[in-house]
Amino acid sequence: MALDAISLPDVSGLTVGILGGTGDQGRGLAYRLARAGQRIVIGSRSAERASAAAAEIAALAGEPADVTGADNAAVAAESDIVIVAVPWDGHGDLLASLREPLTGKLVVDCVNPLGFDKHGPYALRVPEGSAAEQAAALLPDSTVCAAFHHVSAALLADPEVAEMQLDVLVLGEEREKVAVVQALANRIPGMRGVYAGRLRNAHQVEAFTANLIAINKRYKSHAGIRVTDV
Amino acid sequence: MALDAISLPDVSGLTVGILGGTGDQGRGLAYRLARAGQRIVIGSRSAERASAAAAEIAALAGEPADVTGADNAAVAAESDIVIVAVPWDGHGDLLASLREPLTGKLVVDCVNPLGFDKHGPYALRVPEGSAAEQAAALLPDSTVCAAFHHVSAALLADPEVAEMQLDVLVLGEEREKVAVVQALANRIPGMRGVYAGRLRNAHQVEAFTANLIAINKRYKSHAGIRVTDV
């Protein structure tokens, strides 16, 4: 069935927590979703830093943005959907420590395991296959999806950008949960959530961020992707 | 610099050989490029089968299409650009056998190493990292680029499709050779060749074909990608 003919759930009442919400990607997603009217809770190791970032994001997003901050464990417990936007270093340790508060939650991993050297970025080997599969292995009592890998943090955070003209690839095992993540992406004007396969095919989606960085360097762009013919 | 401001070489006079030109992907690329006026040589293990496929493609593309067939070694020797569109099984053996006729040639690998099981497609581990890197390792006297992974064979082969509205990601080490491959992609109406990184980042581009197959299954589409903001 064509993408635009598939009805998605109403997610406007859900609270979205963002682990690593003080980093560039997490902060940008928080801003865009808050601006779209989503209730956001920013997570960080430090509740104080989380609250400070939340206040900044709320001010930027304007009324009636609902953005608060808390430490990562409190965010996990308080949220319906938990976006993981932490650096790859420490990804596994953080999620392992949050197994209990993340029980029953929808966890959306958007982490890209990349290395950098003088030739630029490259994909790191992940023993579990991908960051998303690592999350799924560490969180057997949560549902893990993968999404939001390719959205430019610079564009997300730029108040002058009214629409994000790109697609968010959503990967996961459970169709209903994938639909929730697609609906969340659709909350951001211009953005479409597109199902793009099971978690075992998440590695290449994460790694493709290295190609986007190469594209950005060559063309001075903030590249993303659109899926054609859907 | 913006993509459309970069001048690319004129490739209209070059002969393009297609190894595996009797398969779906090779045949589709041959048809599109012949229709755009490119001189094409179809390669196959059997010169007879190659010539038969060439005659069919020439008839489909109409006058003044220039399509002939030959065995793979003759195609390698005769062509300026050699597209590798063979099945992953046998990819390495074929290229190793063609090292000599491919000396000095621009080799464009579009092979996707995928496996299939009851859950659909998945990326295969390639010891060299990717099909393209395997080609580069086996062909030290050629220049290897990677491209044309995501173009739907069904759309390529459909005479009713006037324009292919998608981007071709081109990977490679040498900027001038990458530009030749971009220019070749640009010969097909609607298609853009976009530089997307070095060969060490080819794996995820090849593997992403598994995601496109998942997208096609879900949305009954012939999906490709457009890179946004370039």
Side-chain angles (χ1 to χ4, degrees):
Chain A
M1 196 187 296
L3 177 64
D4 59 6
I6 296 173
S7 66
L8 297 174
D10 178 6
V11 298
S12 61
L14 301 182
T15 296
V16 176
I18 303 185
L19 306 178
T22 57
D24 286 345
Q25 191 78 353
R27 191 184 281 258
L29 283 171
Y31 166 63
R32 279 293 146 181
L33 290 168
R35 185 168 142 162
Q38 204 76 33
R39 178 159 189 264
I40 302 293
V41 193
I42 298 286
S44 172
R45 271 171 300 185
S46 146
E48 289 69 32
R49 284 203 300 137
S51 294
E56 287 174 25
I57 293 163
L60 194 66
E63 292 293 340
D66 182 351
V67 189
T68 54
D71 67 76
N72 284 321
V75 166
E78 188 180 343
S79 304
D80 303 298
I81 304 173
V82 180
I83 295 176
V84 184
V86 298
W88 170 240
D89 260 4
H91 174 267
D93 288 345
L94 176 69
L95 293 183
S97 77
L98 296 177
R99 175 172 172 174
E100 198 180 335
L102 287 173
T103 293
K105 308 289 183 175
L106 173 54
V107 174
V108 182
D109 204 301
C110 66
V111 173
N112 300 311
L114 299 181
F116 292 84
D117 63 18
K118 63 178 176 167
H119 292 306
Y122 59 95
L124 296 175
R125 277 273 170 96
V126 178
E128 295 85 352
S130 61
E133 286 163 289
Q134 184 183 83
L138 292 168
L139 303 171
D141 307 315
S142 310
T143 300
V144 174
C145 289
F148 296 111
H149 307 88
H150 304 151
V151 290
S152 153
L155 294 184
L156 283 170
D158 183 350
E160 301 296 313
V161 174
E163 298 199 340
M164 303 280 298
Q165 291 293 346
L166 53 80
D167 290 341
V168 166
L169 303 178
V170 184
L171 298 100
E173 306 301 311
E174 296 179 37
R175 191 182 275 241
E176 298 72 21
K177 302 295 187 177
V178 164
V180 168
V181 182
Q182 289 181 263
L184 187 65
N186 288 3
R187 297 270 287 156
I188 299 175
M191 206 178 267
R192 301 189 307 172
V194 178
Y195 171 72
R198 293 171 178 273
L199 290 189
R200 69 175 182 176
N201 283 316
H203 163 72
Q204 55 264 28
V205 173
E206 298 172 358
F208 187 69
T209 302
N211 302 83
L212 290 172
I213 293 170
I215 290 169
N216 288 342
K217 187 169 177 218
R218 174 68 59 94
Y219 301 116
K220 316 288 182 228
S221 58
H222 297 295
I225 64 169
R226 278 283 191 209
V227 181
T228 59
D229 199 41
V230 302
Chain B
M1 194 187 299
L3 176 64
D4 60 5
I6 295 173
S7 66
L8 296 174
D10 178 4
V11 298
S12 61
L14 301 182
T15 296
V16 176
I18 304 185
L19 305 179
T22 57
D24 285 346
Q25 192 77 352
R27 189 184 284 258
L29 284 170
Y31 166 64
R32 279 293 147 183
L33 290 168
R35 185 168 142 163
Q38 202 76 33
R39 177 159 190 265
I40 302 294
V41 193
I42 299 285
S44 173
R45 271 172 299 184
S46 146
E48 288 69 33
R49 285 204 299 140
S51 294
E56 287 173 25
I57 293 163
L60 194 65
E63 292 294 338
D66 182 352
V67 189
T68 54
D71 67 77
N72 284 321
V75 166
E78 186 179 346
S79 304
D80 303 299
I81 305 173
V82 180
I83 295 177
V84 184
V86 298
W88 170 240
D89 260 4
H91 175 266
D93 288 344
L94 176 69
L95 293 183
S97 76
L98 297 177
R99 176 173 170 174
E100 197 180 334
L102 287 173
T103 294
K105 308 287 183 175
L106 173 53
V107 174
V108 183
D109 204 301
C110 66
V111 173
N112 301 309
L114 299 182
F116 291 85
D117 64 16
K118 63 178 177 166
H119 293 305
Y122 59 94
L124 296 175
R125 277 273 170 94
V126 178
E128 295 85 353
S130 61
E133 287 162 289
Q134 184 183 83
L138 292 169
L139 303 171
D141 307 315
S142 311
T143 300
V144 174
C145 290
F148 297 111
H149 308 87
H150 302 150
V151 290
S152 154
L155 293 184
L156 282 171
D158 183 351
E160 300 297 313
V161 174
E163 298 198 340
M164 303 281 298
Q165 290 293 345
L166 52 81
D167 290 342
V168 166
L169 303 177
V170 184
L171 298 100
E173 306 301 311
E174 297 178 36
R175 190 181 276 240
E176 297 73 21
K177 302 294 187 178
V178 165
V180 169
V181 182
Q182 291 181 262
L184 187 65
N186 287 4
R187 297 269 287 155
I188 299 175
M191 208 178 266
R192 301 190 308 172
V194 178
Y195 171 72
R198 291 171 179 274
L199 290 188
R200 69 175 183 176
N201 284 315
H203 164 72
Q204 55 265 29
V205 174
E206 298 172 358
F208 187 69
T209 302
N211 302 84
L212 290 173
I213 293 170
I215 290 169
N216 288 343
K217 187 170 175 215
R218 174 67 61 94
Y219 300 117
K220 316 288 181 228
S221 57
H222 297 295
I225 65 170
R226 278 284 191 209
V227 181
T228 60
D229 199 40
V230 302

